[in-house]
Amino acid sequence: RVLAEEHLDHLVSQYGEEHPYTLSAIRLLGFACRRLGQLDRAEALYRRHLAGARLIFGESHELTDRAKNSVALLLRDRGQYDEALALLEEVLESNQQKVDETHKSHLVLLFNLSVVQERAELYDESVETMQRRYELHVDAYGPLHEQTLLARVNLAVHQMHAGRVDESLGNYAAAVEGARSVDGFDRKFLGFFLLMNGQGLLQPKRFEESEALLLEAWDIFLEE
């Protein structure tokens, strides 16, 4: 990290604070600090990177959106949900003006937003966001695509956390059934779906059904 700090200081002295080379170094150093758990330093660097991106590229540029997303995810990890949500909503609005709703970047942003909403205990909003994401996966890939069924499991997870147990179990079961119906479906994904469904069945104390699914998942994970 010391070498990275020295490199950043050199870039600032040579190119200035708002040069793209400098901004890239700020972002990378912020990422390194975050990975090291140095969240105060990481936040300062991410905010510095965002300020520079706004100045150079403007409020709605793709690189500014990415900088906002980075700040939002760090704030999520720090429990600062209000600002994280505000930033993610800004990025979503900006992203919708550039790409179709089924674009991968939009689907990722919806996932990030739903996770922050859940952590902020906005459970109904979280489920609504994840439901929208699942529907967009259906539109983009079809109902039985691997990524669509995974999005359905993600929806089920958020429904379970929101206390909507029956809805959650219905989506878990539908994902498992869908995976079984597709020839050549990735067995590890099926195992994951079975695992999540089995864990979900513990909530209403349907232990025998849960055990059967968990044992099947275990066998799949042991396959070579």
Side-chain angles (χ1 to χ4, degrees), residues 161-179:
H161 293 169
R164 294 156 69 163
V165 177
D166 290 342
E167 293 175 52
S168 174
L169 292 177
N171 278 311
Y172 278 138
V176 169
E177 182 181 354

Side-chain angles (χ1 to χ4, degrees), residues 77-168:
D77 294 344
R78 308 201 75 180
Q80 297 169 233
Y81 302 124
D82 289 345
E83 187 178 357
L85 288 170
L87 285 170
L88 286 173
E89 286 165 0
E90 283 182 26
V91 177
L92 267 170
E93 183 178 352
S94 175
N95 195 64
Q96 282 181 300
Q97 297 172 10
K98 303 182 187 76
V99 301
D100 185 85
E101 280 191 315
T102 58
H103 191 275
K104 181 179 179 180
S105 64
H106 189 75
L107 298 174
V108 169
L109 285 169
L110 286 174
F111 180 86
N112 291 343
L113 177 62
S114 182
V115 169
V116 177
Q117 287 171 330
E118 183 180 90
R119 292 196 184 181
E121 299 183 358
L122 302 172
Y123 296 113
D124 289 338
E125 291 89 337
S126 174
V127 169
E128 182 179 343
T129 301
M130 201 61 84
Q131 176 72 42
R132 179 58 181 156
R133 178 175 176 268
Y134 165 65
E135 291 167 356
L136 289 171
H137 270 86
V138 173
D139 292 342
Y141 304 111
L144 296 179
H145 189 277
E146 181 180 279
Q147 292 302 312
T148 304
L149 293 177
L150 180 58
R152 191 162 200 174
V153 169
N154 294 149
L155 170 60
V157 170
H158 284 249
Q159 288 172 326
M160 185 65 71
H161 293 169
R164 294 156 69 163
V165 177
D166 290 342
E167 293 175 52
S168 174

Side-chain angles (χ1 to χ4, degrees), residues 37-49:
Q38 300 170 0
L39 298 186
D40 287 342
R41 181 62 175 145
E43 182 177 342
L45 288 162
Y46 278 172
R47 290 187 183 279
R48 185 176 168 188
H49 176 246

Side-chain angles (χ1 to χ4, degrees), residues 160 165-166 169 198-207 209:
M160 185 65 71
V165 177
D166 290 342
L169 292 177
Q199 290 178 338
L201 286 165
L202 294 173
Q203 182 67 22
K205 300 182 179 180
R206 292 161 59 178
F207 298 125
E209 296 170 76

